Amino acid sequence: MTIDSLDNDNIILATGGYDHTIKLWQTHTGICTRTLQHAESQVNALEITPDRQHLAAASYQHIYMYDLTSNNPNAIVNYEGTSKNVTCVGFQEDGKWMYSGGEDSRARIWDLRSRNNQCPKIFEVQSPINCVALHPNQVELFVGDQNGIIYRWDLRTDNNEQLIPENDAMILDVEISPDSQLMASVNNKGRCYIWSLISGVIDTPTKMIPKQKFEAHTRHTLKCKFSPDSNLLATTSADTTARIWSADHFTLLQELKQTESQRWVWDTAFSADGQYIFTASSDGNARLWNVKTGVMEREYAGHQKAVTSLAFRDAS
Amino acid sequence: MALYDNKYWLLSHIRNSFISTDDTGMCELVMSGERRDIQTHLKSMEPFPDPESSEDDEDDFESFELQMDMDFKIRERSNTAAQIEKLELARKRSAKMRNIKWEHTQDSATQDVDLFVKKDVSHNKIQQNKTSKLSALIQTHADTPKNPFMEYAKFDGTGQVNIPTKKYKIYLTMLPPQQRNYPMPVCCISSSKVKELIGLILLKFSYNYGTANLKDPNHYGLYITEEDGEVDSDFPCLDYREPISKFGFNCLGLVEHKEGTKSVSFPDDSTTLFTIEEMNRTRTISEKSKADENKQMENDIQAVEDHNRLMEAPLYHSFRAFMLSKVKPKIEVNIGVSGERIEIDPVPQKGSKLLPFKAKAISHPIDSIADCEITDIRTNRTCFRIVYGANSASIPNSNLDSSFSSSTSSSLQYPNTTSYKNYDFESNHVTANDLVQKVKLILELKTSSTRVEYLATKEKKLQKKKSFHIVK
């Protein structure tokens, strides 16, 4: 790879938060290249479509879709019909459908292939949904809610199975490792729970076997994310740090801390090779860290208020 | 209505009507303070106070609808118009957006079979640790120093929603002259301070030109600037601690302050930013700008002198000159020039009695003077002319005056307006120059109607001449 070919063109880093804007960044310089307007509410979650053409922003009562290929600062599609905050959003790997979870206690499947959502699917739970994760087999969704229950929702059969890792604790995030071997979940007490997953053949559901539990942080653990090679797990927390754990024994490898200004760390994303990691914090900055050394490499400043979500897509 | 014979009520009603119909808020300002005084005053005037009425509305002298608040502002406009505009904008925006509504269909039979296909993950190969593009990019740019102005990025107003922003045209005086012609547009959030705006400008500057030669924002000042990019140095730079919302100007110039001028009060923390090489570069820059500075200084001194001359112009000063005429010998005169009048006094000569006519003093109010100019410069003397409007009364119309007018008025007579006459003088160069300049300055200051008319007719004449030439 020559230096000439090293530009930012195919790398997408988007951040959003409470200042009603979404910013796109040039990763190596820290320059904000575009600002998208998200006037009606804060940004709860961001996700880039598999084809890299669009950016979905989960917000209050809506999911807005932005065009990443044009210069239009306004959303081009508005998915509406949810009554409360949409807390998470994600895509099927071919972009056939989109899933979302919200504070209206419903997880939804939005059909993206047809122009008008022909085939919606809905899954209702007892309390507001904080997080939804899609199993790499593309047919099982794991939904975490404020009652502390994780639901395994089979999209083909609509069957579900419940897990309660800890009483009186909210599930704040749930994540499946890309190699489908592990599931991680974090709660508002700072604990992280790990399950081994045994994938079923054809129609048998995935089995979840409790593997480990550890104190990831002393306060709310807000997000957990596996590295693309499934060897690392990153957790972010209200204790103003993000931590990186080895995914085999869950020992602490690195603490990402910037003592001067960093506040709650809300979201995180690994580079495709797992060498670098982005974090988003309430102090209005996103940061890039070297995973091996724990050194902060770049800072992305420009948001007026807390940055609560980021979406990143690396190129290879 | 019992209220109408209650004088307190009536008085209060009248007062409230005044206050509520006065949009400037002045009535409110004047009247609301004296409520109590009037009440007690009325009480003491009344011989037989009515016990009932005094019980009723003792404290309710204001109408119930009006709330008297203590900050006397101009009444705020309703924000209905703004609201409507906002809705309209939202409507327009949403027209461009595709809306997809959630509709819950009950029949799952319509479901596509291929929508949910289970992917076999047992052979899910995890990609090898190949360096990703991001890592490569970061590693090749590992030496890039952190932009020291990055902390000011959050004051950027571009693309912000729901936050008031201000747009500026910034002229960058540190650029080479040929690049200075166009201002850099900068949009800043309104709540930021001048220093933060400077930081943001430097950040934007560094995107285009790099961070070399840039110093800490404390080393720069924002000056009021003309639309053509000329920095107005008559005003001090905007105070860097003040919020930008305090200043209304939107065309500003960024100027680097020289060492020792402004940096006294703040600690210099920018030293670590620059290597020696960069220091050398800045030095050449500052030398260059020192030349500019000297030039600037000269200009300043010139400006001060001009200003002083302007200020002193209306003060009395007398000059010695010779009055010329075609028919008579030249007479030595004293010309007294002041803000009010021009006096021409013949200097008493030996044997003046022998002259065939008597020279009298002349005085013209400055309002009647139309022009003063140098007509001829010779080796040892300069001729100049004072033109005046003949209609305006020149006080003692001496025979000398009239004799002059007869000789010279023919050339400058215009049918529709005042006729202009002139005196011709000659003197040495310095005196003539000083006098002409002084009179010109006074004329500029006063701009009497005579002068305006004179200039207009002159202009007309010139144009006539021109058109005549063209015809020829």
Side-chain angles (χ1 to χ4, degrees):
Chain A
M1 195 181 282
T2 63
I3 293 173
D4 291 336
S5 69
L6 280 178
D7 47 29
N8 198 58
D9 284 353
N10 294 316
I11 302 175
I12 305 165
L13 174 65
T15 58
Y18 282 32
D19 68 352
H20 293 203
T21 63
I22 296 166
K23 287 180 183 287
L24 300 177
W25 304 89
Q26 197 173 30
T27 47
H28 63 289
T29 56
I31 295 174
C32 171
T33 52
R34 250 179 96 190
T35 302
L36 306 170
Q37 310 213 327
H38 192 266
E40 275 156 57
S41 88
Q42 79 286 357
V43 182
N44 296 324
L46 287 171
E47 191 63 49
I48 298 158
T49 54
D51 61 4
R52 296 166 184 264
Q53 305 290 304
H54 298 103
L55 176 73
S59 47
Y60 180 68
Q61 294 186 337
H62 301 271
I63 300 165
Y64 289 107
M65 199 83 94
Y66 293 85
D67 190 355
L68 288 174
T69 54
S70 76
N71 269 325
N72 184 357
N74 296 309
I76 54 162
V77 191
N78 164 24
Y79 294 92
E80 57 187 354
T82 38
S83 61
K84 289 179 182 166
N85 267 314
V86 181
T87 51
C88 53
V89 64
F91 294 94
Q92 191 263 348
E93 64 175 8
D94 305 319
K96 284 183 191 165
W97 42 267
M98 171 172 77
Y99 61 88
S100 71
E103 288 178 355
D104 61 350
S105 312
R106 290 184 174 104
R108 292 160 203 262
I109 303 290
W110 306 77
D111 191 345
L112 299 182
R113 297 171 311 166
S114 54
R115 282 184 65 85
N116 37 12
N117 198 31
Q118 291 278 318
C119 227
K121 227 171 173 8
I122 205 160
F123 177 65
E124 192 156 358
V125 299
Q126 305 300 315
S127 67
I129 292 172
N130 286 332
C131 51
V132 179
L134 176 64
H135 191 282
N137 67 19
Q138 308 294 312
V139 291
E140 285 172 308
L141 278 183
F142 291 81
V143 178
D145 74 1
Q146 291 192 3
N147 276 352
I149 305 172
I150 298 171
Y151 299 85
R152 186 190 55 80
W153 173 27
D154 192 314
L155 293 169
R156 293 182 302 174
T157 59
D158 272 342
N159 292 335
N160 75 76
E161 186 182 343
Q162 296 180 17
L163 285 172
I164 305 177
E166 184 176 342
N167 284 324
D168 300 325
M170 281 185 218
I171 305 291
L172 292 179
D173 198 15
V174 64
E175 169 87 357
I176 316 283
S177 69
D179 64 2
S180 329
Q181 299 295 307
L182 298 170
M183 177 169 81
S185 140
V186 290
N187 66 19
N188 62 333
K189 301 202 171 146
R191 285 192 195 97
C192 182
Y193 289 82
I194 307 290
W195 290 264
S196 289
L197 300 183
I198 296 166
S199 296
V201 279
I202 312 167
D203 282 344
T204 39
T206 303
K207 268 192 192 144
M208 296 149 290
I209 300 156
K211 186 182 180 204
Q212 200 166 348
K213 135 184 170 183
F214 61 97
E215 306 277 333
H217 295 270
T218 50
R219 298 176 64 190
H220 292 64
T221 303
L222 301 165
K223 268 280 179 334
C224 58
K225 206 143 221 168
F226 283 100
S227 63
D229 61 5
S230 304
N231 290 332
L232 304 169
L233 175 75
T235 55
T236 73
S237 166
D239 69 1
T240 74
T241 65
R243 286 177 179 167
I244 295 169
W245 312 82
S246 76
D248 45 1
H249 297 97
F250 295 96
T251 47
L252 181 64
L253 296 179
Q254 207 59 255
E255 187 177 58
L256 309 176
K257 197 171 182 177
Q258 201 253 6
T259 40
E260 297 137 48
S261 65
Q262 184 152 289
R263 289 161 61 196
W264 287 33
V265 185
W266 287 93
D267 206 351
T268 184
F270 276 101
S271 68
D273 57 4
Q275 290 194 45
Y276 291 90
I277 187 167
F278 292 95
T279 59
S281 170
S282 286
D283 62 7
N285 294 327
R287 294 185 173 85
L288 175 72
W289 311 76
N290 188 319
V291 170
K292 267 199 197 91
T293 61
V295 172
M296 188 182 84
E297 299 271 350
R298 294 289 186 278
E299 206 165 24
Y300 305 91
H303 278 290
Q304 303 289 319
K305 292 180 182 165
V307 185
T308 54
S309 56
L310 64 81
F312 173 69
R313 197 55 73 87
D314 207 340
S316 52
Chain B
M1 277 291 280
L3 288 175
Y4 285 109
D5 51 16
N6 180 339
K7 61 181 118 175
Y8 301 130
W9 188 89
L10 277 175
L11 182 67
S12 133
H13 180 74
I14 291 163
R15 290 165 54 81
N16 275 316
S17 304
F18 262 109
I19 292 170
S20 58
T21 51
D22 171 37
D23 277 338
T24 62
M26 255 348 244
C27 277
E28 189 171 351
L29 193 67
V30 173
M31 287 175 151
S32 64
E34 54 185 39
R35 209 178 307 140
R36 288 282 147 197
D37 299 345
I38 286 181
Q39 193 185 334
T40 48
H41 179 70
L42 276 177
K43 276 256 171 68
S44 62
M45 293 285 284
E46 205 167 15
F48 308 108
D50 183 3
E52 283 171 41
S53 64
S54 60
E55 257 172 41
D56 280 358
D57 356 37
E58 192 133 20
D59 290 320
D60 302 324
F61 278 21
E62 308 136 66
S63 88
F64 294 107
E65 295 147 302
L66 273 183
Q67 294 293 316
M68 202 71 76
D69 51 1
M70 289 317 285
D71 49 339
F72 311 107
K73 290 181 291 191
I74 294 172
R75 249 163 260 284
E76 273 179 30
R77 274 185 64 231
S78 80
N79 55 358
T80 320
Q83 203 83 40
I84 287 170
E85 199 180 348
K86 218 174 178 179
L87 284 173
E88 180 73 10
L89 240 144
R91 200 186 56 76
K92 266 189 192 154
R93 201 178 296 142
S94 64
K96 283 187 198 148
M97 193 157 55
R98 190 153 60 96
N99 287 296
I100 293 177
K101 245 204 159 78
W102 181 268
E103 282 155 26
H104 193 61
T105 45
Q106 290 299 320
D107 48 335
S108 52
T110 55
Q111 242 186 52
D112 251 319
V113 204
D114 60 337
L115 197 55
F116 306 111
V117 182
K118 189 164 181 176
K119 198 180 155 195
D120 185 13
V121 290
S122 54
H123 306 295
N124 212 355
K125 270 277 172 204
I126 293 307
Q127 70 264 49
Q128 294 307 303
N129 249 351
K130 195 184 133 208
T131 309
S132 79
K133 194 161 179 188
L134 174 87
S135 302
L137 199 59
I138 297 293
Q139 275 153 19
T140 39
H141 291 89
D143 307 332
T144 321
K146 195 179 167 236
N147 191 322
F149 307 107
M150 206 43 113
E151 59 178 305
Y152 298 101
K154 64 164 166 279
F155 301 105
D156 195 344
T158 32
Q160 296 294 349
V161 269
N162 306 339
I163 312 177
T165 57
K166 280 191 89 173
K167 283 192 178 126
Y168 291 95
K169 285 184 212 159
I170 306 290
Y171 285 92
L172 303 157
T173 57
M174 56 274 222
L175 285 177
Q178 64 270 25
Q179 290 179 44
R180 258 186 237 170
N181 296 333
Y182 297 99
M184 181 172 74
V186 172
C187 183
C188 188
I189 60 167
S190 300
S191 55
S192 42
K193 298 201 163 61
V194 171
K195 186 188 166 187
E196 290 156 351
L197 174 60
I198 294 174
L200 178 65
I201 294 165
L202 293 173
L203 177 70
K204 296 236 160 184
F205 181 88
S206 67
Y207 286 172
N208 296 331
Y209 305 99
T211 52
N213 299 333
L214 290 185
K215 297 180 187 163
D216 191 79
N218 289 337
H219 288 81
Y220 297 88
L222 276 177
Y223 288 83
I224 298 157
T225 300
E226 304 288 332
E227 286 284 331
D228 63 359
E230 198 188 316
V231 175
D232 204 333
S233 50
D234 294 346
F235 296 99
C237 63
L238 310 186
D239 190 337
Y240 72 104
R241 288 159 301 196
E242 296 287 353
I244 56 164
S245 51
K246 229 180 124 175
F247 306 99
F249 320 98
N250 57 4
C251 198
L252 297 169
L254 188 68
V255 178
E256 187 180 328
H257 287 147
K258 298 300 159 313
E259 303 307 318
T261 49
K262 285 272 178 181
S263 56
V264 191
S265 50
F266 355 95
D268 192 331
D269 51 1
S270 64
T271 42
T272 50
L273 288 174
F274 302 100
T275 63
I276 289 164
E277 188 198 4
E278 278 167 341
M279 287 293 274
N280 288 338
R281 230 181 294 160
T282 42
R283 195 174 302 145
T284 54
I285 291 279
S286 68
E287 268 163 19
K288 209 192 285 170
S289 54
K290 246 168 216 148
D292 288 346
E293 194 184 22
N294 285 342
K295 213 166 141 196
Q296 181 66 35
M297 190 94 91
E298 278 167 26
N299 287 343
D300 285 350
I301 290 169
Q302 185 69 33
V304 168
E305 277 177 358
D306 284 347
H307 180 74
N308 283 345
R309 216 172 295 143
L310 201 66
M311 291 304 286
E312 283 165 8
L315 300 179
Y316 180 85
H317 200 276
S318 85
F319 303 87
R320 184 67 65 96
F322 290 94
M323 195 178 222
L324 304 176
S325 126
K326 281 174 190 162
V327 288
K328 279 163 252 166
K330 56 185 177 185
I331 326 158
E332 194 176 8
V333 288
N334 264 328
I335 308 172
V337 182
S338 73
E340 269 84 54
R341 60 187 75 254
I342 292 182
E343 289 160 332
I344 304 168
D345 286 315
V347 178
Q349 300 278 316
K350 272 184 205 166
S352 64
K353 277 171 189 149
L354 300 175
L355 288 169
F357 54 87
K358 215 171 178 189
K360 264 195 185 169
I362 319 158
S363 169
H364 284 285
I366 209 80
D367 285 345
S368 70
I369 303 296
D371 199 8
C372 178
E373 59 191 359
I374 286 170
T375 49
D376 195 9
I377 298 173
R378 292 177 202 162
T379 47
N380 55 350
R381 62 215 153 86
T382 303
C383 295
F384 61 95
R385 171 179 285 175
I386 295 176
V387 185
Y388 65 99
N391 282 10
S392 319
S394 51
I395 296 153
N397 224 341
S398 66
N399 52 355
L400 173 115
D401 187 20
S402 56
S403 65
F404 264 107
S405 57
S406 61
S407 68
T408 53
S409 61
S410 57
S411 62
L412 279 162
Q413 194 132 30
Y414 302 104
N416 52 346
T417 51
T418 11
S419 59
Y420 299 98
K421 299 175 183 177
N422 53 25
Y423 301 116
D424 286 308
F425 302 93
E426 73 172 34
S427 174
N428 62 31
H429 300 307
V430 183
T431 317
N433 267 330
D434 283 356
L435 186 140
V436 170
Q437 205 148 40
K438 192 175 170 83
V439 175
K440 272 189 173 164
L441 283 174
I442 293 171
L443 289 177
E444 245 170 67
L445 280 178
K446 302 269 170 171
T447 48
S448 65
S449 54
T450 321
R451 167 131 180 108
V452 175
E453 268 170 39
Y454 174 75
L455 289 178
T457 40
K458 210 172 160 189
E459 180 76 12
K460 238 185 256 167
K461 213 181 155 197
L462 208 72
Q463 270 176 0
K464 243 185 234 167
K465 235 186 211 166
K466 262 188 198 162
S467 55
F468 182 65
H469 278 301
I470 292 162
V471 169
K472 233 173 29 178

